Amino acid sequence: MFEKIVLIVSYQQDVHAQHVLQKLEDCGVRGVLLNVGEYPHSFESSLLLNPQYGLDARFFTGATALPVNNIIGVWWRRPLGAYRAETTTMMEKYITSEAEAYIRSLPYMLGGARWVSNPEATRIASRKPYQLLVAQRIGLRIPNTFVGNSKSTAIAFLEQMKDKNIVAKSVCSGFVRLNQAANDVEDLNRVIYTKRISRTSIMDHLDWVPNCPFILQEEIEKDFDVRVTVVGNKVFAVAVMAEADDGRMRGVDWRHHEYRRKYSHHILPNEVTELCRKVTIELGLSFGCIDLGYSVKEGYTFFEINPQGQWLPSETVVGHPISDALVGLLLS
């Protein structure tokens, strides 16, 4: 009997992964969690190339061998896994580099499987400047934006935006690790949320600008945020209101851990729905979580897309069947 297998590339504590594993079990499909972030210590794999018989790829989790031809879908969810300390010795760095090269070959070893999404496309699509270029090209409204480390251009941007508030954000990763300890007892590790920043603060720290590229944007006035989850051709949208403890909306980033978030069903106009599909496809993705801002005055503004974003509240709170759509995509 042909046993269908779906690989979920993540780690044990990932609640999204566990939720989809249960959905797969309910469908009679074998879901296997693969922690590639700890490869080669977490599992064994091999690739045999034979001029006569072609390719033979194998996976072993513990003593169990996975029939590669039975793997019909791969969810590229959290490939870095949980945090582990960076390598220190030259030999450890060499092993890590070799392991990463092997893992990057998986899409070619499992070419017959449905990937959600292709790892190389995911890596490229995570670059925020590229996202903005694609979104603008296809017709989505984006904020006026500065990206880079040029002091003179940053000053010119501030002058251009003199009547608007300014926000700052990272170019790619929003996480800064300054402490190797996984539990961060010194509280040195930081999440960089999108943050309103004063012109005075920027001008006072202009000498820092050349040290690292960053993003400045006009702050978009919005009535609420919209989280859009695209799964294949299906689009699910929720409105998000972020409130502080006193009940007033504050800041610009609803993801901030200090806020209470209220989710509600939201219906996108057909043209915005189609643009969300299009930007996902243009970035080479089959899955993505898009952040939009909405105001009655300006309509919808595209901020960014996360190729491996969080969507569980859109299902558990609002009721969107995202995990069903994801499982359906993986099995298609």
Side-chain angles (χ1 to χ4, degrees):
M1 180 179 178
F2 181 82
E3 180 188 38
K4 295 180 179 179
I5 298 174
V6 169
L7 297 182
I8 298 180
V9 177
S10 191
Y11 59 100
Q12 193 68 32
Q13 294 76 26
D14 178 13
V15 293
H16 286 72
Q18 294 298 334
H19 188 75
V20 174
L21 281 171
Q22 183 60 56
K23 284 282 183 178
L24 289 167
E25 182 179 334
D26 295 343
C27 294
V29 177
R30 182 180 175 189
V32 177
L33 193 68
L34 206 62
N35 191 344
V36 301
E38 294 184 354
Y39 180 78
H41 310 295
S42 55
F43 64 94
E44 295 181 9
S45 178
S46 64
L47 171 66
L48 296 176
L49 294 169
N50 186 293
Q52 182 176 358
Y53 300 107
L55 180 148
D56 179 17
R58 301 183 184 185
F59 289 91
F60 302 88
T61 56
T64 305
L66 301 180
V68 171
N69 291 336
N70 292 29
I71 298 174
I72 62 172
V74 183
W75 184 23
W76 192 253
R77 161 68 184 161
R78 284 287 186 266
L80 296 180
Y83 171 73
R84 63 175 181 179
E86 292 184 5
T87 55
T88 54
T89 69
M90 296 304 294
M91 181 55 70
E92 287 175 336
K93 290 180 179 179
Y94 173 77
I95 292 172
T96 298
S97 175
E98 293 294 287
E100 288 176 353
Y102 184 82
I103 293 300
R104 290 194 193 106
S105 301
L106 290 182
Y108 309 100
M109 297 163 58
L110 303 174
R114 161 77 76 172
W115 284 78
V116 181
S117 296
N118 180 280
E120 289 301 309
T122 298
R123 181 175 60 84
I124 295 170
S126 297
R127 301 166 184 166
K128 293 176 187 177
Y130 178 49
Q131 297 176 8
L132 290 168
L133 289 169
V134 172
Q136 184 181 46
R137 175 166 53 80
I138 69 169
L140 281 162
R141 178 176 184 259
I142 66 170
N144 285 297
T145 303
F146 159 88
V147 186
N149 71 330
S150 166
K151 287 197 293 185
S152 61
T153 310
I155 293 171
F157 177 79
L158 293 176
E159 292 175 350
Q160 181 187 3
M161 296 290 107
K162 60 184 178 181
D163 296 327
K164 296 180 178 293
N165 290 329
I166 301 297
V167 299
K169 63 199 301 186
S170 61
V171 175
C172 185
S173 174
F175 186 65
V176 179
R177 182 168 289 281
L178 302 174
N179 186 348
Q180 289 282 27
N183 59 0
D184 188 24
V185 293
E186 298 178 23
D187 194 29
L188 291 176
N189 300 326
R190 297 286 187 269
V191 175
I192 302 176
Y193 296 105
T194 301
K195 181 179 181 180
R196 185 181 296 119
I197 187 169
S198 69
R199 286 168 171 76
T200 301
S201 179
I202 298 171
M203 297 303 293
D204 287 346
H205 298 89
L206 269 179
D207 289 340
W208 293 7
V209 171
N211 294 330
C212 181
F214 67 110
I215 294 175
L216 294 176
Q217 288 181 328
E218 63 168 317
E219 181 179 339
I220 299 297
E221 295 183 12
K222 56 191 178 182
D223 298 323
F224 52 84
D225 288 276
V226 182
R227 167 51 68 98
V228 181
T229 305
V230 180
V231 188
N233 288 321
K234 298 182 179 180
V235 179
F236 308 93
V238 296
V240 186
M241 294 289 290
E243 295 179 348
D245 288 337
D246 59 8
R248 293 187 298 118
M249 188 173 179
R250 291 182 177 174
V252 293
D253 195 334
W254 63 268
R255 300 167 300 176
H256 199 290
H257 67 278
E258 292 181 351
Y259 297 148
R260 296 195 310 269
R261 288 168 289 274
K262 293 183 178 180
Y263 301 91
S264 59
H265 191 273
H266 183 72
I267 299 176
L268 291 171
N270 290 337
E271 61 270 22
V272 178
T273 298
E274 192 55 41
L275 287 172
C276 287
R277 286 196 191 98
K278 191 171 183 179
V279 73
T280 307
I281 293 169
E282 288 285 321
L283 289 168
L285 305 172
S286 53
F287 174 92
C289 291
I290 298 171
D291 287 325
L292 305 174
Y294 174 78
S295 73
V296 174
K297 180 181 178 181
E298 300 289 353
Y300 295 89
T301 301
F302 173 92
F303 295 136
E304 60 185 74
I305 178 171
N306 188 333
Q308 296 153 312
Q310 312 285 62
W311 47 264
L312 208 50
S314 297
E315 177 163 323
T316 58
V317 178
V318 180
H320 285 312
I322 296 174
S323 61
D324 290 337
L326 182 57
V327 167
L329 185 61
L330 288 164
L331 300 182
S332 64

